[in-house]
Amino acid sequence: MTVRPGHFQLTPEQRRFRDLLLPYATVARYWDWETRSCDEAGLDEAMGIFSHGEKIMATFFRNVWTGRDLPPLGLIDTVNTLDSDDLAVIIGWMRDPFFP
């Protein structure tokens, strides 16, 4: 298959991850799908202005992306902070985990 200039292909796991992430626009902007990379330095800097819930979701998405639990996602804090829609994203991933 030939990929046209300016077009790129994501793995199935990367597409699943992108689909989970895209509704979180303030966090999603730190991912570059063309290079399949995360601007972790920029994300770290943004943590200072994110709401507490955004920080939790950003941490979740980065941890899934990197396959590392750094920083760790605190279970009790997560459950006490996030609404049911955000928790559903995390629980759905836990039921069928994948790593891009």
Side-chain angles (χ1 to χ4, degrees), residues 6-63:
H7 287 70
F8 53 94
Q9 286 192 308
L10 300 175
T11 67
E13 293 81 11
Q14 289 168 338
R15 282 194 303 275
R16 285 179 69 189
F17 180 83
R18 182 195 59 198
D19 292 347
L20 278 182
L21 177 64
L22 284 180
Y24 298 89
T26 56
V27 176
R29 68 188 214 177
Y30 295 95
W31 270 262
D32 181 338
W33 299 111
E34 213 166 306
T35 63
R36 298 178 194 135
S37 63
C38 173
D39 176 6
E40 290 192 64
L43 190 58
D44 283 340
E45 189 174 317
M47 291 290 201
I49 59 171
F50 283 169
S51 71
H52 189 56
E54 288 171 327
K55 287 178 190 177
I56 291 171
M57 293 307 292
T59 299
F60 165 73
F61 286 120
R62 178 173 33 197
N63 289 355

